[in-house]
Amino acid sequence: MWTTYFDVALLSSPVLAFLTIQHPKMHSKPSSLQYFLVSFVSLLFLRCAASTYFGTPQHTSLSVCTTVDQPNPIASIYPNNATGTLNGTVAVIPISLKLARQLIPPQYGILEHAYRALLPNFPQGMYPAIVQAVHDHEVQAFGYKIDDFSRTGIEFPFVDLLNDNHTSFKWAPSLIMSAGHDIALKGAADYGTNVFPATFEPGCDAYRAVPKAKKPGTTYFSARSLTGAEGLTTLFSSTEEELFPLSFFKNFTNQPTFADGKTCDNMIRLFNTSLTTAPNGIERVKGTVRATIHPFAEEQEWRNVYGLRMDTAFIENNYLSCEDFRGYSGLE
Ligand SMILES: *[C@@H]1O[C@H](CO)[C@@H](O)[C@H](O)[C@H]1NC(C)=O
Ligand SMILES: *[C@@H]1O[C@H](CO)[C@@H](O)[C@H](O)[C@H]1NC(C)=O
Ligand SMILES: *[C@@H]1O[C@H](CO)[C@@H](O)[C@H](O)[C@H]1NC(C)=O
Ligand SMILES: *[C@@H]1O[C@H](CO)[C@@H](O)[C@H](O)[C@H]1NC(C)=O
Ligand SMILES: *[C@@H]1O[C@H](CO)[C@@H](O)[C@H](O)[C@H]1NC(C)=O
């Protein structure tokens, strides 16, 4: 009995899907392929992937989203890794160290000396929480692409997950994500993330210009949970001020990320592709973030928040042992 197994590890953002296709090709037509769903790939996606794999006509995409995002420039460089692009805004939200201590699980230390080494003038008694409001585009591995999706949440970098007083991890306990994108939603939930399916405005892009805005380069982004109170909106305008250096953003965006601490997500954001190095590829912005999201108990509004609006390519390695990142400092 001749049986071929195609074990395809399909990594996506922030998703790992294992699918095994059993193909008894010596005595069956392709139509009788048996599919075994080892993890959470939707049947529809599996069919599309398999039909691509076996060269039968490609199903037309059900997605109605059209985005202006540039293509993934590194998919062909890392064909066997999960890659994609992340377009959007990432900004620093200073909160009191005391509040950070209440929000971050008590078993994990906060590496204050690590962020002070990068930001010597950061106000005393404060901690840099992070907001990310991004659109994931052309996420793919092994030639399989998943639909784009959006996500947003508040994250907590410089967390001492391993209790070594050295290695920085980013705690990302909650994500508001595109409703209906089962691969992305389940992929995040498998990290122990609190996942809130939501509608986004704009629906298929990272942000949109506010018409007739008073300040130059004013853009908005908004996410609202379908079923709960969770939501997050941003309004950012261009600024000349550089409160935090680019090196700080590179540092925390590349920290291994966890939710329940059982596994870690290693997203490597590249700042050196044409997406980011183009003129105005990185724009400094200042604005307001309003959020209702765990672990904050009630609605928060932060004004005069400084960040970057940019598109970056990324490589993502999913569901790794957090312990294996002991001493990891990100790519230089
Ligand atoms: C990022 O998204 C914005 C808003 O949709 C768009 O204007 C910009 O061109 C995108 N950047 C890239 C490099 O695709
Ligand atoms: C690509 O994936 C392989 C296998 O998971 C991993 O060992 C390698 O480090 C990844 N490459 C990058 C650049 O992260
Ligand atoms: C990030 O910052 C930490 C703490 O200062 C440092 O140890 C690490 O080397 C930095 N990583 C990179 C890639 O700059
Ligand atoms: C952690 O490391 C920093 C910098 O090396 C040091 O100042 C601090 O005392 C250490 N904390 C503990 C609890 O060992
Ligand atoms: C971009 O940066 C990554 C990570 O530091 C490196 O592996 C890659 O070679 C760089 N690519 C270019 C074109 O410089």
Side-chain angles (χ1 to χ4, degrees):
M1 170 135 167
W2 297 84
T3 306
T4 310
Y5 291 93
F6 298 97
D7 289 314
V8 180
L10 178 75
L11 300 110
S12 59
S13 175
V15 179
L16 171 68
F18 283 103
L19 66 98
T20 302
I21 303 171
Q22 190 185 44
H23 180 196
K25 70 176 169 189
M26 295 310 286
H27 45 85
S28 306
K29 286 186 291 241
S31 60
S32 67
L33 286 178
Q34 289 174 282
Y35 301 118
F36 290 92
L37 215 54
V38 175
S39 186
F40 38 74
V41 178
S42 72
L43 193 56
L44 175 66
F45 176 74
L46 182 60
R47 285 207 186 109
C48 290
S51 66
T52 303
Y53 198 89
F54 295 108
T56 52
Q58 177 87 55
H59 294 249
T60 48
S61 173
L62 296 178
S63 169
V64 292
C65 253
T66 51
T67 177
V68 301
D69 284 349
Q70 297 287 311
N72 175 342
I74 61 166
S76 59
I77 304 174
Y78 304 99
N80 300 332
N81 287 83
T83 62
T85 69
L86 268 190
N87 191 354
T89 311
V90 46
V92 178
I93 296 178
I95 63 173
S96 75
L97 201 45
K98 191 175 161 216
L99 175 59
R101 191 55 286 170
Q102 286 165 11
L103 299 175
I104 295 168
Q107 65 269 36
Y108 308 132
I110 297 174
L111 296 168
E112 187 179 358
H113 65 89
Y115 64 80
R116 294 211 174 274
L118 300 165
L119 299 176
N121 298 323
F122 198 72
Q124 285 305 314
M126 299 297 278
Y127 165 87
I130 301 304
V131 60
Q132 297 219 59
V134 293
H135 186 243
D136 275 65
H137 176 58
E138 291 195 352
V139 176
Q140 58 199 286
F142 302 102
Y144 303 142
K145 206 182 282 183
I146 63 169
D147 284 342
D148 288 4
F149 60 97
S150 294
R151 60 187 167 95
T152 187
I154 310 288
E155 304 174 7
F156 300 83
F158 303 99
V159 170
D160 190 359
L161 175 65
L162 300 179
N163 196 25
D164 66 356
N165 194 30
H166 176 66
T167 315
S168 290
F169 289 81
K170 185 153 54 72
W171 182 51
S174 301
L175 273 181
I176 300 173
M177 296 182 94
S178 297
H181 199 304
D182 294 347
I183 296 172
L185 291 164
K186 292 189 83 173
D190 281 0
Y191 279 104
T193 314
N194 297 292
V195 179
F196 304 106
T199 55
F200 285 78
E201 185 56 41
C204 308
D205 278 306
Y207 47 83
R208 184 161 294 159
V210 174
K212 298 181 193 147
K214 289 196 194 92
K215 294 180 190 162
T218 303
T219 59
Y220 70 93
F221 165 98
S222 150
R224 186 139 301 283
S225 162
L226 287 187
T227 52
E230 295 77 20
L232 194 151
T233 61
T234 71
L235 192 65
F236 280 106
S237 305
S238 301
T239 180
E240 298 291 309
E241 292 172 87
E242 185 188 74
L243 229 67
F244 308 108
L246 178 59
S247 55
F248 182 62
F249 290 89
K250 287 183 180 172
N251 194 293
F252 71 72
T253 54
N254 281 295
Q255 291 173 12
T257 302
F258 71 100
D260 65 11
K262 294 190 179 115
T263 58
C264 276
D265 174 35
N266 176 221
M267 176 173 272
I268 300 162
R269 278 176 88 164
L270 300 177
F271 289 76
N272 59 1
T273 75
S274 54
L275 298 177
T276 323
T277 61
N280 305 317
I282 301 180
E283 295 175 283
R284 284 196 284 273
V285 293
K286 176 181 176 181
T288 300
V289 176
R290 189 176 301 154
T292 302
I293 189 172
H294 167 270
F296 294 93
E298 49 199 39
E299 188 185 41
Q300 306 287 317
E301 185 179 90
W302 296 284
R303 292 169 180 272
N304 300 317
V305 166
Y306 287 81
L308 301 177
R309 205 158 48 197
M310 62 186 168
D311 194 5
T312 59
F314 68 83
I315 306 157
E316 186 169 25
N317 300 303
N318 275 287
Y319 308 122
L320 301 174
S321 150
C322 299
E323 177 60 41
D324 287 353
F325 288 95
R326 192 177 286 274
Y328 181 82
S329 64
L331 298 177
E332 298 300 331

